[in-house]
Amino acid sequence: MFLVVTVTHAGRRSPKVAKTVSVFKKVVMAVSGIIMLLFLIAHMIGNLHVFQGAESFNDYSEWLRSFGEPALPPRTLLTVIEIVLVVSVVAHMWAAITLWRQAKRARPEAYVTKKPVAQTYASRTMRWGGLIIAGFIVYHILDLTFGAANPAGTDSTPYDRLVASFQNPIATTVYVVTLLLLGMHLRHGIWSATQTLGQSNRRRERTVNAGATGFAVLLIAGYLVVPAAVVLGLVD
Amino acid sequence: MALELFNVGEPIADTKAPMDVPIEERWSTRRFRGRLVNPANRRKMTVIVVGTGLAGGSAAATLGEAGYKVKSFWYQDSPRRAHSVAAQGGINAAKNYRNDGDSVHRLFYDTVKGGDFRSRENNVHRLAEVSVNIIDQCVAQGVPFAREYGGLLDNRSFGGTQVSRTFYARGQTGQQLLYGAYQALERQIAAGNVEQHARTEMLDLIVVDGRARGIVARDLVTGEISTHFADAVVLATGGYGNVFYLSTNAKGSNATAIWRAHKRGAYMANPCYTQIHPTCIPVKGDYQSKLTLMSESLRNDGRVWVPKERGDDRDPRQIPEDERDYYLERIYPSFGNLVPRDIASRQAKNVCDEGRGVGPGGLGVYLDFAEAIERMGRPAVEAKYGNLFDMYAQITGEDPYSVPMRIYPAVHYTMGGLWVDYDLQSTIPGMFVIGEANFSDHGANRLGASALMQGLADGYFVLPATITEYLADAPFDRIDDTHPAAIEAMQGVQSQVQKLLNINGTRTPASFHRELGKIMWDLCGMERSEESLRKALDRIPELRQEFWTNVKVSGDWHSFNQTLEHAGRVADFIELAELMCIDALHRNESCGGHFRAESQTPEGEALRDDENYAYVAAWEWTPENEPPVLHREALEYEYVHLAQRSYK
Amino acid sequence: MTMTHGATRSGQTSEKRGMNLTLRIWRQKDPSVKGKMVTYKVTDISPDMSFLEMLDVLNEQLITNGEDPVAFDHDCREGICGMCGVMINGQAHGPQQTTTCQLHMRSFRNGDTIDIEPWRAAAFPVIKDLAVDRRAFDRIIQAGGYITAPTGTAPEAHSTPVPKKDSDAAFDAATCIGCGACVAACPNASSMLFTAAKVTHLGLLPQGQPERNDRVVNMVAQQDAEGFGGCTNIGECSAACPKGISMETISRLNHDLLGALRAGVRPKS
Ligand SMILES: Cc1cc2nc3c(=O)[nH]c(=O)nc-3n(C[C@H](O)[C@H](O)[C@H](O)COP(=O)(O)OP(=O)(O)OC[C@H]3O[C@@H](n4cnc5c(N)ncnc54)[C@H](O)[C@@H]3O)c2cc1C
Ligand code: HEM
Ligand code: HEM
Ligand code: SF4
Ligand code: F3S
Ligand code: FES
């Protein structure tokens, strides 16, 4: 059948479907990724309230919900955040998964032997890593926002739930593993985003990559101190 | 002597150049007098262009743009692969950007002289005139020529000229020029003006009522053999250097298209004029499949030498200055390492014959950059020659920055080719030949950076202007593959293909090709003598005999079969080789790339015999076992006066 | 089956000690049938041979034994035409960053096993064995990889000076030989580096400006239409590219593309 292809392709095969799709998807991914990134920074800082004790942490969580009251109805800020995040995650996953399928179609027959040369571990784990992160988010919200999946149960303060979770070794492992994955995801993601948005060049390439790594490490460290503190009993 | 080898026929002459005006006005006059084709009629006219190199690619793009229906053929997967892509050094043009006294007339003069007075003045002058437009055209297409800090185009001096008129794109000039033509061609394909036939090999020419009206071609993927018709056929299929098996040509470069056209009545001109390039990487072993050229520009800064003592096999770096023989600088004080290719090559052969050659088998001389690195500093050398040095290191495993390179001459270019008149039309009306495939502009020796110039001149500017005179009478009455001539050609090709597959002998096509190459290199190579040529003429028919009884071609014809492709090409090379030897034997003089041992000055320089040989030898093919017929085209020199070349 | 190469036939040869190798080669008669890896042995291979010369040796033996030789593409054999290219031990063009024809056997050791496969991509259908059809690349060029400059209309070459920096960068991108190693190496089978090289070459030159937006939009649309994968900035392509085309070209393409889309330019189909 391919013979037919090679022989009959006299003229130019005109593009099917919606054009320049793949790059458009990359932009969606970059933008949504960056939005999620910003959330993660804020979220990390918010989490550090634990070190100021249960009060301040719960207040913070309370503040999230009561922000702008009475001028605004309860949970406005949080709802806004939630909507933006849901949209981003969905858009991001849509782009990632369709690109993934496009790649599968583009190479129907796999190599018998394939040796990656430049590919970093991070870039190789973007897809599965991303999915795991997605799964984590669901679990995480049930765990800490609603407490449904939390030892301390639903009618507990966020602080209790958090401590409860991290006193549970399984939950803690889940968190730690995902955070490391996320770190790698961001490490490649940030570099990738600069390429996708056309902001990289030979001179910048190194800096961007170094920056991405440094940033990912800091962010993830910022997150990890919380479970660490709980496990070490600094917070209880 | 010769009569048993060939017969002499009527003289032949170009009738198209307007000789009633001075040479500067002949091209413009020819363009003015030639009939034109009304744009409205062009759509009704089909032109087949075989080949997508600089010549064919630029011609197909230009004709398509002009509004003709063009059918383009090539044997690789993409037009961008044509062997023009391998040209390294540069392209000449009489722009005189350096204000160093260059001019159209000087380029004309240098080319006629460099061709050792065996080329046609009119064609060469036109080439020099058109050269300036080529650069403009290529720059407009986005060809990234080397530039100076001021942003203007850079020039270098190249291959035996004393002015800097060579434009270049690092060491990849041919690649960049070809991509310019390739992109223009793809644009026309997209526009529907050019119909493409990739991986399709021309195997015969269809001649109807004395006019070239189409070709028989084989789709190399499906094996399908089919006919294609047109009002005119243009051959731009490149050179036949692979008749020597080892050459700097691509593995697929072949003589099949021009040879089969020759057998259909096109005269073959000066087939023995082959250029041996002095700066190639020496042969390593006999598994060797091709030779790699190192651009001649290396001779601008590298110094060529061999040890004074024969058999001195010390590490070159250990050999002190006074024990080295910089033989080109010694013999040719004014030109030194920049003497023309034929001279540089033959001197390399001489020192190796004296037993002073270096490297495996003593077949090599040093090309030394130590002094240049001293003078310019390594970075400058890297900037100028980096990619060539890398290529050398890649192939030899040696580091040319620290050890002098070893070079040896190799077959590089064929000045001979199908005979064409001033309009680039062959002796078959309606068949035009452009680029390296024709014989027209370089006489007995081509100057460096002049082939790219000729290919693009022919394709962009000359052919599109001259072909209109012929097409003014078109369109000719339609024919299809029920026409007797088409059927005959088609069956001829099919039966040859079948025959090759049926022999089922014991030797591969490659082994025949290798043997033919050795015969040609040893007996019809850098130096030829009556004795060596007669020996070759005994061996070649035997080889042909064995080929047609003992070749082994696996597989079938109706599929992708590279062995079959090769077998067909080797068959044609064997026949061409015989004509080359006859031509070399009949031309009992030395000129340019053709050096006859019998005809040299006391100092061993080529000695021309203008009395008897100031002509183009155009050969007419005759059925097997009948000697070919020689038609002479007398060469007159009105503007450049016949003189013995001297580069001392 | 075993074989020794023809070096001895005509005697004169300067072999270093020859190597014995095991080759596992992808054999596929034509696209309609399934292919598989087949094992061959070659002996007495000189380290000075090019990789393709080693395959020549194998093929000559196969032909003489009446077997079907291995089909592979090649032409110039000096690293410039872009016709050659196979996966060697899982790497496009093999262990060195060069073309298959310029890879020499000194990069291997006696006794090695070498896996040889064709480029694998839906847009590069296999023709036979190791030979694939790369004409999708030509159609990407047709979509806009050119500067419209009809023959004879060009202005004097010196009328537009080009800063050396730009013309050098344009040249670097223009050295792409269209071999397809980038696609072969890319985990997504994306042709991004090839397309980006041409967009960069023409986009850096003043002559390339008028068509700059349409060029990038249409070339990218065409590469999607051809069935190549999307680029996720993994960088295997640039690492495999025999001409060292840089990742920067991809960033440039993205930059130009976003600019063009913002300017309202849409692909013409
Ligand atoms: C290594 C090397 C370096 C060189 N360097 C320089 C240089 O620096 N300067 C310079 O001026 N010249 C140089 N030359 C010479 C110059 O490159 C060539 O003479 C010129 O490019 C020939 O162009 P062409 O278009 O005539 O043929 P080619 O470029 O050889 O094109 C031949 C075309 O014909 C097609 N073809 C052939 N046979 C058939 C067939 N039977 N059926 C169908 N299609 C067929 C091929 O597919 C190809 O498209 C060099 C040559 C070599 C080999
Ligand atoms: C909150 C979590 C996430 C963040 C912060 C994030 C961030 C990013 C960023 C910044 C990029 C780079 C975009 C680009 O290259 O242009 C990226 C790429 C990617 N993301 Fe995420 N992502 C997250 C979650 C996910 C999820 C849930 C998936 C699920 C599939 C995913 C899959 C991918 C993939 C496959 C890529 C690679 C595409 C590329 O490299 O461009 N990510 N991510
Ligand atoms: C140690 C790590 C983390 C801790 C301690 C933590 C803690 C919390 C807590 C306490 C809440 C509940 C806030 C509230 O209900 O008031 C919350 C919500 C949330 N967390 Fe985390 N989190 C961590 C990591 C992450 C990661 C890695 C992600 C994303 C990839 C994430 C995404 C979210 C989201 C989306 C919500 C819901 C916010 C909302 O309800 O709008 N968290 N987190
Ligand atoms: S970008 Fe590099 S790898 Fe890709 S086709 Fe061009 S030269 Fe080959
Ligand atoms: S490897 Fe593929 S993903 Fe992009 S960067 Fe290169 S094309
Ligand atoms: S054969 Fe031309 S690049 Fe390898």
Side-chain angles (χ1 to χ4, degrees):
Chain A
M1 53 157 294
F2 285 139
L3 276 187
V4 182
V5 177
T6 52
V7 176
T8 54
H9 263 318
R12 159 189 168 193
R13 186 203 289 168
S14 69
K16 313 179 207 95
V17 300
K19 330 297 182 181
T20 60
V21 180
S22 59
V23 175
F24 170 70
K25 287 177 183 164
K26 289 301 309 301
V27 175
V28 168
M29 193 166 340
V31 173
S32 56
I34 289 164
I35 293 172
M36 295 189 276
L37 205 69
L38 296 177
F39 166 79
L40 280 179
I41 299 170
H43 185 42
M44 188 265 280
I45 295 165
N47 287 341
L48 296 180
H49 285 83
V50 270
F51 294 102
Q52 298 162 348
E55 288 313 309
S56 120
F57 189 77
N58 292 337
D59 294 350
Y60 151 67
S61 150
E62 183 47 40
W63 172 82
L64 273 177
R65 285 161 175 67
S66 56
F67 175 84
E69 286 180 34
L72 300 167
R75 281 188 114 271
T76 311
L77 174 64
L78 207 46
T79 317
V80 172
I81 297 177
E82 282 167 0
I83 293 169
V84 173
L85 284 179
V86 169
V87 171
S88 310
V89 172
V90 169
H92 192 82
M93 289 182 66
W94 165 76
I97 289 167
T98 48
L99 272 173
W100 193 347
R101 288 186 32 240
Q102 180 180 354
K104 284 254 165 303
R105 275 199 310 279
R107 179 166 293 133
E109 180 139 33
Y111 287 106
V112 176
T113 317
K114 181 77 166 74
K115 181 154 171 278
V117 185
Q119 208 172 354
T120 60
Y121 191 77
S123 65
R124 225 173 313 164
T125 47
M126 287 310 269
R127 288 168 176 154
W128 288 112
L131 282 178
I132 292 167
I133 297 168
F136 165 83
I137 294 173
V138 175
Y139 157 76
H140 176 61
I141 291 175
L142 294 177
D143 176 25
L144 294 181
T145 311
F146 304 116
N150 187 288
T154 42
D155 50 11
S156 54
T157 70
Y159 186 84
D160 305 336
R161 293 199 284 267
L162 182 149
V163 174
S165 274
F166 292 135
Q167 276 161 351
N168 168 336
I170 301 159
T172 314
T173 338
V174 171
Y175 271 83
V176 173
V177 171
T178 326
L179 283 163
L180 295 178
L181 260 176
L182 180 67
M184 291 196 298
H185 191 91
L186 295 180
R187 191 237 150 275
H188 176 73
I190 291 167
W191 139 252
S192 183
T194 43
Q195 273 286 104
T196 301
L197 298 177
Q199 297 308 315
S200 170
N201 63 39
R202 228 198 238 85
R203 272 176 295 99
R204 261 187 239 160
E205 207 167 308
R206 282 176 167 261
T207 343
V208 172
N209 272 302
T213 316
F215 176 86
V217 170
L218 275 180
L219 185 83
I220 298 311
Y223 273 110
L224 283 176
V225 289
V226 178
V230 176
V231 171
L232 298 177
L234 302 178
V235 170
D236 50 13
Chain B
M1 58 126 191
L3 281 175
E4 85 271 10
L5 284 174
F6 64 91
N7 299 321
V8 178
E10 289 302 302
I12 180 176
D14 166 50
T15 56
K16 305 284 178 55
M19 301 302 287
D20 53 332
V21 295
I23 199 161
E24 299 79 14
E25 295 165 27
R26 285 175 193 163
W27 177 226
S28 50
T29 309
R30 168 67 190 79
R31 290 212 313 276
F32 176 70
R33 291 182 189 167
R35 290 177 295 162
L36 300 176
V37 177
N38 164 340
N41 293 342
R42 295 181 191 161
R43 271 261 144 271
K44 306 194 199 92
M45 301 178 188
T46 311
V47 179
I48 285 175
V49 180
V50 187
T52 61
L54 288 180
S58 56
T62 304
L63 292 172
E65 187 139 46
Y68 300 100
K69 282 174 83 271
V70 176
K71 296 181 180 174
S72 174
F73 297 77
W74 61 91
Y75 72 72
Q76 300 93 335
D77 64 342
S78 165
R80 71 184 297 148
R81 317 244 188 250
H83 197 52
S84 293
V85 79
Q88 301 169 351
I91 177 169
N92 288 333
K95 282 283 198 184
N96 190 28
Y97 283 160
R98 284 309 176 82
N99 190 28
D100 55 6
D102 197 11
S103 65
V104 166
H105 194 81
R106 183 176 296 279
L107 176 53
F108 159 67
Y109 174 90
D110 289 349
T111 310
V112 171
K113 181 180 174 222
D116 215 0
F117 300 93
R118 290 295 175 262
S119 53
R120 205 188 273 154
E121 276 189 335
N122 295 335
N123 293 51
V124 176
H125 196 280
R126 173 177 63 192
L127 177 64
E129 288 174 54
V130 171
S131 68
V132 296
N133 311 2
I134 296 174
I135 302 305
D136 300 341
Q137 180 63 30
C138 295
V139 167
Q141 289 171 337
V143 171
F145 283 119
R147 289 180 182 265
E148 295 166 326
Y149 284 96
L152 298 179
L153 294 161
D154 190 16
N155 290 124
R156 55 163 74 142
S157 139
F158 197 76
T161 59
Q162 289 162 312
V163 293
S164 294
R165 65 160 70 104
T166 304
F167 295 75
Y168 65 100
R170 217 164 296 169
Q172 283 144 266
T173 316
Q175 179 198 29
Q176 295 309 316
L177 294 172
L178 181 66
Y179 291 173
Y182 156 71
Q183 287 160 202
L185 175 60
E186 291 296 346
R187 197 176 119 243
Q188 292 305 315
I189 291 171
N193 300 333
V194 176
E195 174 184 309
Q196 57 181 340
H197 297 271
R199 291 196 193 253
T200 307
E201 182 171 33
M202 169 181 168
L203 293 178
D204 203 355
L205 181 76
I206 298 172
V207 182
V208 177
D209 313 329
R211 293 181 185 275
R213 292 301 309 277
I215 64 172
V216 179
R218 178 167 178 271
D219 181 319
L220 300 177
V221 175
T222 61
E224 180 199 359
I225 298 169
S226 57
T227 51
H228 307 265
F229 301 99
D231 297 294
V233 175
V234 179
L235 297 192
T237 55
Y240 51 86
N242 277 353
V243 69
F244 291 86
Y245 184 66
L246 287 183
S247 82
T248 62
N249 287 5
K251 291 298 284 176
S253 299
N254 66 86
T256 292
I258 59 170
W259 187 252
R260 309 238 171 142
H262 173 59
K263 289 171 119 180
R264 288 282 172 191
Y267 293 1
M268 184 81 185
N270 304 330
C272 78
Y273 290 166
T274 49
Q275 180 166 80
I276 315 274
H277 196 291
T279 55
C280 300
I281 300 175
V283 175
K284 292 164 270 143
D286 72 352
Y287 49 78
Q288 187 101 20
S289 63
K290 76 102 59 180
L291 293 171
T292 302
L293 173 99
M294 304 270 293
S295 167
E296 176 158 47
S297 57
L298 289 167
R299 287 200 280 145
N300 291 344
D301 293 300
R303 300 179 69 195
V304 178
W305 64 276
V306 290
K308 283 197 171 132
E309 286 310 311
R310 49 175 45 216
D312 178 343
D313 52 14
R314 279 176 293 176
D315 176 327
R317 289 164 297 186
Q318 308 308 326
I319 302 180
E321 279 296 317
D322 61 353
E323 294 177 40
R324 301 176 174 193
D325 178 11
Y326 294 90
Y327 57 90
L328 289 177
E329 299 168 22
R330 172 171 55 81
I331 308 173
Y332 308 99
S334 64
F335 278 74
N337 294 298
L338 290 177
V339 290
R341 293 171 175 180
D342 53 328
I343 296 181
S345 295
R346 209 168 50 255
Q347 292 301 350
K349 179 180 190 297
N350 293 343
V351 294
C352 292
D353 292 351
E354 293 165 17
R356 299 195 287 148
V358 298
L363 292 178
V365 301
Y366 290 123
L367 177 61
D368 200 334
F369 269 77
E371 188 259 1
I373 293 172
E374 279 281 303
R375 177 165 42 87
M376 312 159 61
R378 181 176 167 143
V381 173
E382 264 184 58
K384 217 162 160 191
Y385 305 108
N387 65 319
L388 297 171
F389 278 35
D390 296 348
M391 183 166 71
Y392 182 87
Q394 185 66 34
I395 292 172
T396 59
E398 295 171 8
D399 170 24
Y401 290 100
S402 51
V403 192
M405 293 184 254
R406 281 177 296 103
I407 56 169
Y408 196 67
V411 174
H412 175 58
Y413 183 88
T414 49
M415 282 74 68
L418 291 179
W419 185 91
V420 291
D421 60 18
Y422 191 67
D423 283 2
L424 301 182
Q425 183 166 227
S426 70
T427 49
I428 302 176
M431 188 181 88
F432 295 76
V433 189
I434 59 178
E436 189 173 347
N438 74 22
F439 89 109
S440 79
D441 298 359
H442 307 294
N445 174 57
R446 174 176 68 80
L447 289 181
S450 290
L452 298 182
M453 172 171 67
Q454 181 222 337
L456 289 178
D458 290 0
Y460 280 130
F461 300 108
V462 179
L463 176 87
T466 58
I467 199 172
T468 56
E469 169 67 24
Y470 179 79
L471 290 176
D473 297 327
F476 307 107
D477 28 357
R478 278 196 87 275
I479 48 170
D480 55 27
D481 43 20
T482 60
H483 190 288
I487 295 170
E488 185 264 340
M490 185 82 173
Q491 286 170 345
V493 169
Q494 281 162 339
S495 61
Q496 195 206 32
V497 164
Q498 259 319 324
K499 193 165 167 203
L500 286 167
L501 288 160
N502 294 345
I503 297 166
N504 194 21
T506 61
R507 287 183 62 182
T508 63
S511 81
F512 282 100
H513 197 173
R514 240 186 255 106
E515 184 174 344
L516 177 69
K518 197 159 174 14
I519 294 175
M520 290 302 282
W521 179 247
D522 293 347
L523 305 177
C524 187
M526 260 185 287
E527 178 170 323
R528 301 141 177 202
S529 67
E530 166 151 18
E531 187 202 356
S532 72
L533 291 165
R534 287 197 177 277
K535 201 181 294 166
L537 285 167
D538 294 336
R539 303 262 304 273
I540 295 168
E542 293 165 15
L543 189 67
R544 185 190 326 112
Q545 185 60 26
E546 190 191 349
F547 178 86
W548 284 106
T549 51
N550 192 28
V551 72
K552 184 169 181 90
V553 180
S554 47
D556 50 38
W557 66 268
H558 47 78
S559 66
F560 189 65
N561 186 340
Q562 294 169 309
T563 321
L564 179 60
E565 290 168 35
H566 193 192
R569 293 167 188 168
V570 174
D572 295 330
F573 280 133
I574 296 177
E575 295 181 8
L576 168 61
E578 193 167 350
L579 184 64
M580 287 172 73
C581 293
I582 293 174
D583 185 44
L585 181 55
H586 112 282
R587 187 170 286 277
N588 192 4
E589 68 161 346
S590 298
C591 56
H594 170 64
F595 188 82
R596 279 290 297 270
E598 296 88 345
S599 176
Q600 46 183 306
T601 63
E603 307 85 44
E605 296 298 335
L607 181 62
R608 281 199 332 263
D609 175 357
D610 297 327
E611 284 303 296
N612 302 304
Y613 293 100
Y615 64 76
V616 173
W619 297 94
E620 176 184 359
W621 188 81
T622 47
E624 218 174 304
N625 310 328
E626 274 187 51
V629 178
L630 169 67
H631 301 270
R632 297 193 176 94
E633 177 195 345
L635 291 168
E636 276 106 31
Y637 292 90
E638 293 175 75
Y639 293 86
V640 186
H641 295 299
L642 275 169
Q644 206 50 252
R645 269 193 327 172
S646 166
Y647 289 90
K648 295 243 162 174
Chain C
M1 40 154 274
T2 316
M3 68 204 45
T4 58
H5 81 70
T8 45
R9 194 181 297 122
S10 80
Q12 52 97 0
T13 168
S14 61
E15 239 69 337
K16 311 205 178 54
R17 199 196 82 274
M19 299 184 280
N20 302 341
L21 303 165
T22 305
L23 309 176
R24 302 201 311 143
I25 304 178
W26 182 261
R27 302 306 307 268
Q28 183 172 356
K29 202 173 171 328
D30 61 57
S32 61
V33 302
K34 248 197 130 336
K36 63 171 185 331
M37 298 296 270
V38 178
T39 303
Y40 302 93
K41 288 203 179 322
V42 285
T43 62
D44 192 19
I45 294 299
S46 158
D48 285 338
M49 275 188 196
S50 72
F51 193 83
L52 296 184
E53 284 165 344
M54 183 274 293
L55 288 181
D56 291 342
V57 167
L58 170 66
N59 277 347
E60 290 229 3
Q61 282 301 320
L62 290 173
I63 296 169
T64 359
N65 304 349
E67 292 174 64
D68 191 20
V70 178
F72 62 89
D73 272 326
H74 66 98
D75 201 27
C76 73
R77 293 206 177 187
E78 54 188 72
I80 195 69
C81 75
M83 187 85 174
C84 66
V86 294
M87 289 304 265
I88 300 168
N89 288 335
Q91 283 179 267
H93 290 306
Q96 290 187 353
Q97 194 172 355
T98 183
T99 56
T100 302
C101 60
Q102 288 298 289
L103 176 66
H104 281 67
M105 297 312 289
R106 67 181 80 92
S107 310
F108 299 90
R109 260 180 280 84
N110 190 20
D112 280 0
T113 296
I114 307 176
D115 284 5
I116 309 171
E117 297 179 72
W119 292 164
R120 295 194 189 278
F124 287 169
V126 169
I127 291 170
K128 183 180 180 189
D129 299 339
L130 304 174
V132 301
D133 177 12
R134 282 166 295 199
R135 304 241 313 287
F137 271 4
D138 294 334
R139 292 187 292 270
I140 292 175
I141 296 296
Q142 284 168 29
Y146 50 73
I147 288 172
T148 300
T151 307
T153 62
E156 153 60 36
H158 268 180
S159 56
T160 354
V162 182
K164 188 173 182 4
K165 182 173 99 327
D166 295 350
S167 75
D168 286 353
F171 173 87
D172 288 337
T175 55
C176 162
I177 57 176
C179 63
C182 44
V183 174
C186 173
N188 300 329
S190 169
S191 56
M192 192 57 124
L193 194 64
F194 167 80
T195 307
K198 187 48 65 189
V199 166
T200 301
H201 160 210
L202 299 177
L204 277 167
L205 298 170
Q207 294 83 356
Q209 297 316 309
E211 292 163 299
R212 187 170 175 176
N213 285 351
D214 300 284
R215 176 181 306 121
V216 66
V217 168
N218 289 307
M219 289 179 79
V220 171
Q222 185 64 29
Q223 78 177 356
D224 277 347
E226 294 289 348
F228 290 103
C231 170
T232 58
N233 307 312
I234 289 169
E236 284 293 321
C237 51
S238 183
C241 173
K243 299 300 160 188
I245 302 298
S246 73
M247 290 292 287
E248 177 174 357
T249 60
I250 294 182
S251 182
R252 241 176 216 293
L253 177 146
N254 288 324
H255 180 274
D256 283 11
L257 182 69
L258 296 183
L261 293 174
R262 247 184 268 111
V265 178
R266 296 292 174 267
K268 58 170 179 332
S269 35

